[in-house]
Amino acid sequence: MSKESRDWLEKAARLDYIRPEDVPEIDLYMDQITTFMESQLAVTKRTEEDKIMTKTMINNYTKNKLLPPPIKKKYTKDHLYLLIFVYYFKSIMSIADIQKLLGPMAEYFFGNHTEEEGENGALHTLDHIYKEIFDLEHDYYYEVKENIEKLQKRAEDTFPELSGEEGDFLRKFSYITLLCYDIYVRKQMIETMIDDMFGKPEQKKKEKKEK
């Protein structure tokens, strides 16, 4: 693997979730929330001008029911967990799909801080859920890295008859195309799963009309 590709992967390795132990235990005001998200996720920004999360974004998430409203103008630890999920989901999923996924999360687990075991032995708190998913994502990174390395190797083997700038451009183009196809397939799978879980958008509209 070229040094350039290793640098790309090294940058990707830093795009990690906020560590569970770094999430504040105290409730925060809006300004404190945006400052926290900015400081924790600054490395994920493409340019310095990009904003991780703004007041307008958070207000819109509340309006679209991705996030429960603040309690006396303050946001709890559970609010932060949901906002972190929104931040990562929004680059892949529509707002409507995120709402479908996070709606049940808020309904079943938001504000539940009693770690009582349910029938399946799971702890019904967003704190526990976030930690579990963080560990899952952290461990899975190495599998993703290995897969990306394989795609990069395939791209390097394309257009062997070309050298110089033209060959270098086409091999990078091939690499980007393979990565896009990988994302496309996974995105299609995510949308299919969400439709199976909650019904397709057009199906919901049809059911409303029939009522």
Side-chain angles (χ1 to χ4, degrees), residues 10-191:
E10 184 180 340
K11 182 178 180 180
R14 298 198 297 269
L15 307 186
D16 211 346
Y17 276 75
I18 296 172
R19 297 181 182 279
E21 59 269 24
D22 292 335
V23 178
E25 294 287 344
I26 60 172
D27 297 347
L28 303 175
Y29 287 106
M30 176 79 83
D31 287 341
Q32 293 172 309
I33 287 283
T34 56
T35 299
F36 173 78
M37 296 290 282
E38 187 74 24
S39 64
Q40 290 290 319
L41 297 171
V43 72
T44 68
K45 296 199 298 186
R46 189 173 183 180
T47 69
E48 284 297 320
E49 292 74 28
D50 291 341
K51 299 294 182 182
I52 297 297
M53 198 158 287
T54 64
K55 295 178 183 180
T56 301
M57 290 178 188
I58 295 174
N59 285 330
N60 284 336
Y61 297 152
T62 304
K63 182 180 177 181
N64 287 292
K65 298 182 179 179
L66 277 69
L67 188 73
I71 302 166
K72 295 181 180 179
K73 297 185 178 181
K74 283 190 173 183
Y75 294 84
T76 66
K77 195 175 184 180
D78 283 358
H79 281 106
L80 262 176
Y81 287 138
L82 294 177
L83 281 172
I84 294 167
F85 284 130
V86 170
Y87 176 75
Y88 285 98
F89 287 167
K90 69 179 182 176
S91 63
I92 302 294
M93 290 185 248
S94 67
I95 292 296
D97 282 345
I98 297 174
Q99 196 278 331
K100 290 175 186 175
L101 279 178
L102 294 188
M105 289 287 284
E107 180 183 351
Y108 301 148
F109 308 113
F110 188 89
N112 185 357
H113 301 295
T114 304
E115 296 191 347
E116 295 177 354
E117 293 191 4
E119 293 179 2
N120 60 356
L123 298 178
H124 295 171
T125 68
L126 275 175
D127 189 64
H128 176 80
I129 292 166
Y130 184 85
K131 288 175 181 175
E132 187 81 13
I133 292 176
F134 174 85
D135 290 341
L136 186 69
E137 296 277 353
H138 188 268
D139 294 341
Y140 182 58
Y141 163 74
Y142 298 99
E143 294 179 39
V144 173
K145 179 175 178 290
E146 185 179 343
N147 182 54
I148 291 176
E149 287 174 345
K150 288 178 181 178
L151 293 180
Q152 196 268 342
K153 179 64 171 65
R154 286 189 179 186
E156 280 186 345
D157 292 338
T158 60
F159 305 103
E161 70 281 4
L162 290 176
S163 59
E165 290 184 6
E166 290 182 353
D168 184 57
F169 169 78
L170 284 177
R171 281 181 280 277
K172 287 178 181 175
F173 182 82
S174 298
Y175 191 16
I176 290 170
T177 302
L178 285 173
L179 289 169
C180 287
Y181 181 70
D182 186 71
I183 293 168
Y184 174 79
V185 171
R186 293 169 189 261
K187 186 174 183 291
Q188 289 291 310
M189 186 173 179
I190 289 168
E191 290 175 353

